[in-house]
Amino acid sequence: MAKLPTEYKNAMQSALEELNEVLLERQGSADDDIRQETNIFRILRIENYEIRHGAFLDYLLDPDRNPELAHEFAKAWIAEIYDELSIDDGGFLERLFEANEFELGPLKDEHRFSEVSIPESRLRIDHAFEVKVGKTRRVFVFEYKHNGVVQNDLAAYQAFVNDKYAGNRYLARYFVMDLGNKIHNSFESEIFDLVSKETLVNALDMTLDLAVRKDMQATRMYLEQYRDILAPEVEEQYPWRGLENILWNTWNPSYIEYDDAWKVWDKLAEKAIDDPDIFEDLAAFDTEQLFDQAVLEALEDVDNCSVRRNSGWVRIEPSKCQLKHFYLFSNLWFGPEGLYMGLNLQSWHDPKGQVEEQEKQHQLALQVLANSRWGSFCGSPEQWPSLSRIELTFSRDESSEFIVKDLKLRNRSESSKRTHGVVINIKLPIELSELKQACCSDEMPKVFTQYIAEAEALVESINKLS
C-alpha cells in the first residue's frame, strides 16, 4: 500500500493552516446574510459520507419500509444504469417492467441493503440488492466514493457474492459510483463498471414524480432534499479566487495514487480548520474546480458561445444552436494512465421530449464529429448512429503534437429508450506541471491554449451547422 510521502503531508498541513486563517478572515468580513439551512441532510452533515448515502438508499429500496415506491425506484435505477452502460441482458428490462410484481430485497441471507459485512474481514459492501424476475436472481453491488479513490478489495466482493449464491441461478453486476463532484473520471476494473451519479439522480426524479402523483407530501420533501444533496445547484460565484496555489497543496492529482491520502487530509483538516462550514467546503473541493475556472475565464469573452459552471464540468453553449439537450462541455479526466482534458459533445435523449428534436440533435452531433478533425479517427461513420458513446483518447509525440492513442466505441443497447442519445468524448493529455500552471497562474501552458482553440473550433462548427 503506497503511503503519502512526508513532504506531501507537510505541504498539505501548511496549506490547510494557511487556508484556515485566510478563510476565517474572509468569513468575518462577508456582508452576506446568514442563510437558514432547511435541508435535513445538510443539517446532520451527512452529505460527504458514503455510509450515510447507503443508509438512505437502504430505505428507498426496502419494500417493507417504502412499500409505495421501492419497486418503482429499483426499476428506474436499473433501467438508467443499463441504458448508460449499454447493457444487453436478454430482455430482462422488458420482463422487469412488464411484471406486475417482482422480488426485491437484500442479498441472500442478509437483512440489510447497506454496509453488508464480509466474514473474516473488515470489509463491508457499501450497498447491494437482489431482484428476481422468473428463475434468475440478479444481484447489484455498489461501491461508493465521495471525491476519493477506491481503496477496498473489490475482488473480495465478487468472491463473497459467488460463495453466497453458489448452487443458485444468478447473475451479478458490480458498480463503482462517485457521489461527489468527480462525475467524469476514469476507472479501470475487470469486475466493476464505473456508473455515473446521474443514473441515481434520474431515478430519483422519476420516483419524485410518482410521489407527487400519489400526493405523498412528506416523501416528496425528503426526496427533493436528497436530490439537492446529490446534484446541488452550482453557485456562479467562484469562492477560491487568489487561493489557487494554496489549494493546490491541500489536494491535487498527484495525491490520488497514495492509498492513505484522503485519510491523511481528513485528519489534518480536522486539526487545522476551526469552522465546520469551512471544513465542509474544503472537503468538497477538487482540482476540477480550478480547471473549470480556467476554462470559464478563457472562453468568457468569446462572442459566439456562452459558458456556465456545473458540478465538475463547464457547459459550453454555441449561440446559434437552439436544441435544448445538445451542448459541448469541458471537464478534467483522472485515469490510471494520466490526466486528460475532455472536450465532449452531448446529445441527451429525453424520453419525454419531442422525437423530432431528439433526431435533429443526434444528427447534429454526428455531423459535427464528421466535420471535425477528430472524425477520421472514430471508425466508420455508418456505424455511428448505433453508438451510445464514442471515446477518443490522444497522447503526444516528441514535438508535443496530439496522436491517437485509443478509440472505444460503445453500442447502444437494443432495450435502450434513448435511441437518439450519444456522448462523444475527446480526451487530450496534460502533464501535472502543465495543469498546475493552467490552474494556478496567469500564463497558460501551450497545451491548454491548444485545448481552448479546439473548443472554439467546435463551437464555430456547431454554429455553422445550426
Side-chain angles (χ1 to χ4, degrees):
M1 178 181 287
K3 293 191 175 182
L4 193 69
T6 301
E7 61 182 294
Y8 285 0
K9 289 182 184 179
N10 292 339
M12 187 185 287
Q13 181 177 354
S14 298
L16 285 166
E17 291 171 352
E18 186 175 357
L19 269 176
N20 182 57
E21 293 181 11
V22 173
L23 292 175
L24 282 175
E25 185 177 343
R26 285 188 179 184
Q27 190 181 64
S29 61
D31 295 326
D32 295 338
D33 293 332
I34 298 175
R35 183 175 66 89
Q36 178 69 40
E37 183 58 76
T38 58
N39 188 309
I40 189 63
F41 295 97
R42 290 198 179 93
I43 291 171
L44 297 177
R45 299 190 183 280
I46 68 174
E47 67 266 34
N48 292 332
Y49 297 93
E50 295 96 328
I51 185 174
R52 304 305 179 196
H53 285 273
F56 185 69
L57 293 171
D58 191 318
Y59 161 75
L60 278 181
L61 283 163
D62 190 343
D64 293 332
R65 292 188 291 159
N66 186 23
E68 294 288 335
L69 300 174
H71 286 81
E72 296 303 320
F73 172 69
K75 286 196 295 187
W77 196 14
I78 293 169
E80 286 293 319
I81 291 171
Y82 274 43
D83 195 55
E84 178 174 283
L85 298 180
S86 296
I87 296 174
D88 196 349
D89 197 356
F92 164 67
L93 276 186
E94 287 82 355
R95 296 195 302 275
L96 181 65
F97 278 86
E98 290 171 0
N100 292 325
E101 295 182 1
F102 62 89
E103 294 182 27
L104 171 65
L107 299 187
K108 180 175 176 285
D109 300 327
E110 300 292 336
H111 303 286
R112 56 193 300 177
F113 294 80
S114 62
E115 292 296 294
V116 180
S117 298
I118 296 181
E120 301 179 5
S121 78
R122 299 178 63 183
L123 294 174
R124 292 176 182 268
I125 295 175
D126 286 338
H127 197 213
F129 62 94
E130 174 192 302
V131 169
K132 186 179 180 184
V133 179
K135 297 180 179 180
T136 303
R137 302 172 186 260
R138 279 171 174 79
V139 176
F140 299 89
V141 177
F142 293 84
E143 169 76 2
Y144 297 131
K145 303 186 294 171
H146 195 282
N147 292 334
V149 294
V150 176
Q151 297 179 352
N152 289 333
D153 181 4
L154 300 184
Y157 293 5
Q158 184 185 42
F160 171 73
V161 170
N162 287 343
D163 289 344
K164 179 176 285 292
Y165 284 90
N168 293 271
R169 185 173 175 176
Y170 77 100
L171 175 64
R173 299 194 183 277
Y174 303 85
F175 307 101
V176 166
M177 179 185 293
D178 197 312
L179 295 167
N181 296 325
K182 297 181 181 179
I183 58 175
H184 294 297
N185 287 2
S186 298
F187 171 78
E188 300 292 335
S189 170
E190 295 181 359
I191 305 170
F192 281 67
D193 287 312
L194 180 66
V195 64
S196 78
K197 183 176 62 175
E198 188 178 13
T199 59
L200 178 55
V201 173
N202 290 341
L204 276 171
D205 285 341
M206 296 177 196
T207 309
L208 180 57
D209 286 344
L210 182 58
V212 171
R213 293 200 301 272
K214 288 176 172 281
D215 197 26
M216 302 169 67
Q217 295 301 321
T219 303
R220 172 183 177 177
M221 181 185 71
Y222 63 66
L223 285 173
E224 287 175 339
Q225 291 192 342
Y226 184 60
R227 189 198 186 285
D228 184 49
I229 290 298
L230 288 175
E233 290 189 15
V234 179
E235 296 182 8
E236 287 298 318
Q237 188 176 2
Y238 175 62
W240 308 119
R241 194 172 302 282
L243 301 176
E244 288 85 356
N245 278 292
I246 308 173
L247 283 162
W248 182 270
N249 286 331
T250 67
W251 192 263
N252 67 68
S254 65
Y255 298 164
I256 295 175
E257 62 185 278
Y258 300 103
D259 300 296
D260 64 339
W262 177 250
K263 291 181 180 179
V264 170
W265 183 96
D266 195 54
K267 185 176 180 180
L268 292 176
E270 285 279 4
K271 292 181 179 179
I273 305 302
D274 294 324
D275 186 277
D277 290 330
I278 293 176
F279 180 92
E280 293 299 328
D281 288 342
L282 290 174
F285 165 79
D286 198 83
T287 314
E288 290 164 322
Q289 295 177 40
L290 303 183
F291 178 78
D292 291 348
Q293 182 63 19
V295 172
L296 282 163
E297 292 180 0
L299 293 174
E300 63 184 356
D301 294 328
V302 176
D303 294 332
N304 60 356
C305 72
S306 61
V307 288
R308 180 155 51 93
R309 188 193 315 278
N310 281 272
S311 182
W313 53 288
V314 172
R315 180 167 176 148
I316 306 168
E317 297 182 325
S319 57
K320 294 184 179 180
C321 182
Q322 302 302 312
L323 297 170
K324 182 179 179 182
H325 296 305
F326 175 86
Y327 53 89
L328 178 67
F329 68 91
S330 70
N331 65 288
L332 192 62
W333 293 76
F334 302 83
E337 297 181 0
L339 297 165
Y340 295 90
M341 302 174 292
L343 277 177
N344 315 275
L345 278 171
Q346 170 88 46
S347 171
W348 187 75
H349 183 158
D350 180 1
K352 299 178 182 178
Q354 296 292 324
V355 174
E356 184 179 352
E357 182 170 302
Q358 314 285 1
E359 291 176 344
K360 283 183 179 179
Q361 65 185 34
H362 189 203
Q363 290 170 5
L364 178 57
L366 300 184
Q367 281 182 307
V368 172
L369 179 61
N371 289 0
S372 74
R373 73 189 192 97
W374 318 112
S376 61
F377 304 118
C378 293
S380 171
E382 288 76 18
Q383 184 184 7
W384 295 350
S386 64
L387 301 175
S388 64
R389 183 179 293 272
I390 300 170
E391 185 176 308
L392 184 62
T393 304
F394 286 81
S395 59
R396 281 188 284 178
D397 61 19
E398 295 179 356
S399 60
S400 294
E401 293 297 319
F402 295 127
I403 55 175
V404 176
K405 179 181 180 180
D406 186 36
L407 172 65
K408 293 180 181 177
L409 305 175
R410 178 181 291 169
N411 287 309
R412 186 177 296 106
S413 169
E414 292 183 4
S415 61
S416 175
K417 297 180 180 180
R418 294 193 170 98
T419 54
H420 299 299
V422 67
V423 181
I424 301 167
N425 305 126
I426 309 297
K427 297 163 63 177
L428 305 176
I430 184 170
E431 296 295 325
L432 184 67
S433 59
E434 295 170 324
L435 178 63
K436 182 178 181 181
Q437 185 181 353
C439 292
C440 303
S441 75
D442 295 327
E443 185 177 349
M444 293 296 108
K446 180 182 177 182
V447 68
F448 183 78
T449 304
Q450 289 175 305
Y451 171 74
I452 294 299
E454 297 292 353
E456 292 179 355
L458 285 174
V459 168
E460 184 176 353
S461 176
I462 294 168
N463 281 328
K464 285 182 178 179
L465 291 168
S466 294

